[in-house]
PDB file of all heavy atoms in Angstrom:
ATOM      1  N   LEU A1269       0.452 182.168 -59.504  1.00 96.00           N
ATOM      2  CA  LEU A1269       1.753 182.741 -59.144  1.00 96.00           C
ATOM      3  C   LEU A1269       2.067 183.921 -60.051  1.00 96.00           C
ATOM      4  O   LEU A1269       2.648 184.919 -59.615  1.00 96.00           O
ATOM      5  CB  LEU A1269       2.848 181.674 -59.270  1.00 96.00           C
ATOM      6  CG  LEU A1269       2.713 180.481 -58.339  1.00 96.00           C
ATOM      7  CD1 LEU A1269       3.907 179.561 -58.507  1.00 96.00           C
ATOM      8  CD2 LEU A1269       2.600 180.950 -56.897  1.00 96.00           C
ATOM      9  N   MET A1275       0.674 191.370 -59.454  1.00 93.00           N
ATOM     10  CA  MET A1275       0.137 192.224 -58.407  1.00 93.00           C
ATOM     11  C   MET A1275       1.268 193.029 -57.760  1.00 93.00           C
ATOM     12  O   MET A1275       1.086 194.166 -57.340  1.00 93.00           O
ATOM     13  CB  MET A1275      -0.574 191.342 -57.369  1.00 93.00           C
ATOM     14  CG  MET A1275      -1.126 192.023 -56.146  1.00 93.00           C
ATOM     15  SD  MET A1275       0.031 192.152 -54.755  1.00 93.00           S
ATOM     16  CE  MET A1275       0.116 190.486 -54.185  1.00 93.00           C
ATOM     17  N   MET A1276       2.459 192.442 -57.699  1.00 94.00           N
ATOM     18  CA  MET A1276       3.587 193.160 -57.090  1.00 94.00           C
ATOM     19  C   MET A1276       4.345 193.986 -58.118  1.00 94.00           C
ATOM     20  O   MET A1276       5.448 194.458 -57.863  1.00 94.00           O
ATOM     21  CB  MET A1276       4.506 192.166 -56.391  1.00 94.00           C
ATOM     22  CG  MET A1276       3.843 191.609 -55.140  1.00 94.00           C
ATOM     23  SD  MET A1276       4.841 190.410 -54.270  1.00 94.00           S
ATOM     24  CE  MET A1276       4.488 188.925 -55.157  1.00 94.00           C
ATOM     25  N   GLN A1282      10.148 190.346 -66.272  1.00 96.00           N
ATOM     26  CA  GLN A1282      10.362 189.873 -64.894  1.00 96.00           C
ATOM     27  C   GLN A1282       9.538 188.637 -64.595  1.00 96.00           C
ATOM     28  O   GLN A1282       9.987 187.743 -63.885  1.00 96.00           O
ATOM     29  CB  GLN A1282      10.027 190.989 -63.899  1.00 96.00           C
ATOM     30  CG  GLN A1282      11.074 192.087 -63.872  1.00 96.00           C
ATOM     31  CD  GLN A1282      10.683 193.196 -62.930  1.00 96.00           C
ATOM     32  OE1 GLN A1282       9.519 193.564 -62.830  1.00 96.00           O
ATOM     33  NE2 GLN A1282      11.660 193.743 -62.224  1.00 96.00           N
ATOM     34  N   HIS A1286      11.477 185.611 -63.156  1.00 96.00           N
ATOM     35  CA  HIS A1286      11.313 185.332 -61.733  1.00 96.00           C
ATOM     36  C   HIS A1286      10.183 184.359 -61.412  1.00 96.00           C
ATOM     37  O   HIS A1286      10.078 183.896 -60.286  1.00 96.00           O
ATOM     38  CB  HIS A1286      11.067 186.633 -60.959  1.00 96.00           C
ATOM     39  CG  HIS A1286      12.249 187.550 -60.949  1.00 96.00           C
ATOM     40  ND1 HIS A1286      13.395 187.274 -60.244  1.00 96.00           N
ATOM     41  CD2 HIS A1286      12.474 188.719 -61.583  1.00 96.00           C
ATOM     42  CE1 HIS A1286      14.268 188.240 -60.423  1.00 96.00           C
ATOM     43  NE2 HIS A1286      13.737 189.135 -61.239  1.00 96.00           N
ATOM     44  N   PRO A1290      11.570 179.672 -63.104  1.00 97.00           N
ATOM     45  CA  PRO A1290      11.681 178.760 -61.951  1.00 97.00           C
ATOM     46  C   PRO A1290      10.524 177.767 -61.859  1.00 97.00           C
ATOM     47  O   PRO A1290      10.731 176.624 -61.456  1.00 97.00           O
ATOM     48  CB  PRO A1290      11.693 179.695 -60.726  1.00 97.00           C
ATOM     49  CG  PRO A1290      11.471 181.058 -61.218  1.00 97.00           C
ATOM     50  CD  PRO A1290      11.630 181.087 -62.694  1.00 97.00           C
ATOM     51  N   HIS A1366      16.025 172.114 -54.623  1.00 88.00           N
ATOM     52  CA  HIS A1366      16.013 171.711 -53.212  1.00 88.00           C
ATOM     53  C   HIS A1366      14.745 172.140 -52.500  1.00 88.00           C
ATOM     54  O   HIS A1366      14.330 171.542 -51.523  1.00 88.00           O
ATOM     55  CB  HIS A1366      17.221 172.310 -52.493  1.00 88.00           C
ATOM     56  CG  HIS A1366      17.186 173.803 -52.462  1.00 88.00           C
ATOM     57  ND1 HIS A1366      16.802 174.512 -51.358  1.00 88.00           N
ATOM     58  CD2 HIS A1366      17.413 174.723 -53.413  1.00 88.00           C
ATOM     59  CE1 HIS A1366      16.816 175.802 -51.629  1.00 88.00           C
ATOM     60  NE2 HIS A1366      17.192 175.954 -52.881  1.00 88.00           N
TER      61      HIS A1366
ATOM     62  N   GLY B1087      -1.338 196.068 -60.407  1.00 87.00           N
ATOM     63  CA  GLY B1087      -0.234 196.974 -60.115  1.00 87.00           C
ATOM     64  C   GLY B1087       0.044 197.000 -58.627  1.00 87.00           C
ATOM     65  O   GLY B1087      -0.812 196.630 -57.822  1.00 87.00           O
ATOM     66  N   MET B1092      -2.755 192.601 -52.882  1.00 94.00           N
ATOM     67  CA  MET B1092      -3.829 191.621 -52.772  1.00 94.00           C
ATOM     68  C   MET B1092      -3.365 190.440 -51.923  1.00 94.00           C
ATOM     69  O   MET B1092      -2.254 189.952 -52.073  1.00 94.00           O
ATOM     70  CB  MET B1092      -4.211 191.135 -54.172  1.00 94.00           C
ATOM     71  CG  MET B1092      -5.230 190.031 -54.181  1.00 94.00           C
ATOM     72  SD  MET B1092      -6.718 190.510 -55.075  1.00 94.00           S
ATOM     73  CE  MET B1092      -7.502 188.951 -55.315  1.00 94.00           C
ATOM     74  N   LEU B1099       2.193 181.471 -52.864  1.00 96.00           N
ATOM     75  CA  LEU B1099       3.584 181.819 -52.629  1.00 96.00           C
ATOM     76  C   LEU B1099       4.452 181.122 -53.671  1.00 96.00           C
ATOM     77  O   LEU B1099       4.081 180.059 -54.169  1.00 96.00           O
ATOM     78  CB  LEU B1099       4.018 181.363 -51.236  1.00 96.00           C
ATOM     79  CG  LEU B1099       3.146 181.852 -50.088  1.00 96.00           C
ATOM     80  CD1 LEU B1099       3.635 181.264 -48.767  1.00 96.00           C
ATOM     81  CD2 LEU B1099       3.127 183.368 -50.034  1.00 96.00           C
ATOM     82  N   HIS B1112       8.584 191.840 -54.036  1.00 96.00           N
ATOM     83  CA  HIS B1112       8.420 193.134 -54.699  1.00 96.00           C
ATOM     84  C   HIS B1112       9.767 193.872 -54.800  1.00 96.00           C
ATOM     85  O   HIS B1112      10.073 194.501 -55.816  1.00 96.00           O
ATOM     86  CB  HIS B1112       7.412 193.960 -53.896  1.00 96.00           C
ATOM     87  CG  HIS B1112       7.254 195.370 -54.350  1.00 96.00           C
ATOM     88  ND1 HIS B1112       6.841 195.698 -55.625  1.00 96.00           N
ATOM     89  CD2 HIS B1112       7.463 196.551 -53.705  1.00 96.00           C
ATOM     90  CE1 HIS B1112       6.790 197.025 -55.734  1.00 96.00           C
ATOM     91  NE2 HIS B1112       7.153 197.557 -54.583  1.00 96.00           N
ATOM     92  N   ARG B1114      12.702 192.480 -54.815  1.00 95.00           N
ATOM     93  CA  ARG B1114      13.510 191.743 -55.776  1.00 95.00           C
ATOM     94  C   ARG B1114      13.227 192.266 -57.180  1.00 95.00           C
ATOM     95  O   ARG B1114      14.144 192.486 -57.972  1.00 95.00           O
ATOM     96  CB  ARG B1114      13.107 190.271 -55.649  1.00 95.00           C
ATOM     97  CG  ARG B1114      13.909 189.263 -56.384  1.00 95.00           C
ATOM     98  CD  ARG B1114      13.145 187.939 -56.231  1.00 95.00           C
ATOM     99  NE  ARG B1114      13.703 186.873 -57.018  1.00 95.00           N
ATOM    100  CZ  ARG B1114      14.639 186.030 -56.574  1.00 95.00           C
ATOM    101  NH1 ARG B1114      15.102 186.131 -55.363  1.00 95.00           N
ATOM    102  NH2 ARG B1114      15.088 185.080 -57.357  1.00 95.00           N
ATOM    103  N   LEU B1115      11.937 192.507 -57.452  1.00 95.00           N
ATOM    104  CA  LEU B1115      11.575 193.045 -58.762  1.00 95.00           C
ATOM    105  C   LEU B1115      12.136 194.455 -58.952  1.00 95.00           C
ATOM    106  O   LEU B1115      12.454 194.865 -60.048  1.00 95.00           O
ATOM    107  CB  LEU B1115      10.050 193.084 -58.920  1.00 95.00           C
ATOM    108  CG  LEU B1115       9.326 191.742 -58.884  1.00 95.00           C
ATOM    109  CD1 LEU B1115       7.823 191.947 -58.969  1.00 95.00           C
ATOM    110  CD2 LEU B1115       9.804 190.848 -60.015  1.00 95.00           C
ATOM    111  N   PHE B1143      10.669 176.960 -46.509  1.00 94.00           N
ATOM    112  CA  PHE B1143      10.048 177.035 -47.831  1.00 94.00           C
ATOM    113  C   PHE B1143       8.541 176.808 -47.675  1.00 94.00           C
ATOM    114  O   PHE B1143       8.107 176.170 -46.713  1.00 94.00           O
ATOM    115  CB  PHE B1143      10.668 175.995 -48.761  1.00 94.00           C
ATOM    116  CG  PHE B1143      12.033 176.409 -49.237  1.00 94.00           C
ATOM    117  CD1 PHE B1143      13.172 176.082 -48.517  1.00 94.00           C
ATOM    118  CD2 PHE B1143      12.170 177.168 -50.393  1.00 94.00           C
ATOM    119  CE1 PHE B1143      14.417 176.500 -48.942  1.00 94.00           C
ATOM    120  CE2 PHE B1143      13.412 177.582 -50.821  1.00 94.00           C
ATOM    121  CZ  PHE B1143      14.537 177.252 -50.092  1.00 94.00           C
TER     122      PHE B1143
END
Side-chain angles (χ1 to χ4, degrees):
Chain A
L1269 297 184
M1275 176 271 288
M1276 289 179 276
Q1282 287 177 322
H1286 293 290
H1366 64 101
Chain B
M1092 175 120 165
L1099 306 177
H1112 173 60
R1114 188 188 173 91
L1115 297 177
F1143 284 89

